[in-house]
Amino acid sequence: MNQIRVFRMIALAEGCSFLILLCIAMPMKYIMGMPEVVRVVGSIHGGLFLLYVGLLAMLHVRQRWPITFSLYAFVASIIPFGTFVLDKHLREKEAVAN
């Protein structure tokens, strides 16, 4: 599996974990009084986010991505549904790299 494909999979997992955190875990904390759900999901999301940023930095250097694209990819990770929009662009980069 090439590096961009791995990054795509991590990006999608990070995006899913972000949505789970926002749409499921946070309501469970504040409506149902279950703060431990946020602790668990937040930890998973945090780990995926760090992996995402690390892989983004590595790909920025190895693939010689323009700074504008790398910044776009970083911003996509902090906006809900952003990594899903980014996936289209990553698929294009993956096709060119193969």
Side-chain angles (χ1 to χ4, degrees):
M1 202 179 309
N2 71 33
Q3 297 170 341
I4 297 174
R5 164 102 13 128
V6 171
F7 181 64
R8 280 184 57 219
M9 297 303 114
I10 295 300
L12 293 174
E14 191 273 339
C16 288
S17 71
F18 190 33
L19 292 176
I20 291 169
L21 180 64
L22 292 176
C23 299
I24 297 173
M26 295 297 284
M28 288 180 77
K29 175 181 179 178
Y30 291 108
I31 295 170
M32 303 168 128
M34 301 172 67
E36 62 277 355
V37 177
V38 170
R39 203 170 308 123
V40 171
V41 175
S43 295
I44 293 168
H45 171 67
L48 287 169
F49 178 75
L50 291 174
L51 186 57
Y52 177 94
V53 172
L55 288 172
L56 176 59
M58 180 195 73
L59 284 170
H60 172 74
V61 172
R62 288 188 181 172
Q63 299 289 326
R64 296 187 176 132
W65 286 351
I67 190 71
T68 53
F69 181 79
S70 296
L71 286 173
Y72 169 73
F74 178 76
V75 170
S77 71
I78 57 176
I79 297 173
F81 299 101
T83 57
F84 302 107
V85 174
L86 174 68
D87 189 59
K88 176 186 177 211
H89 302 286
L90 291 174
R91 275 188 271 127
E92 291 169 359
K93 288 195 175 290
E94 183 180 12
V96 170
N98 286 333

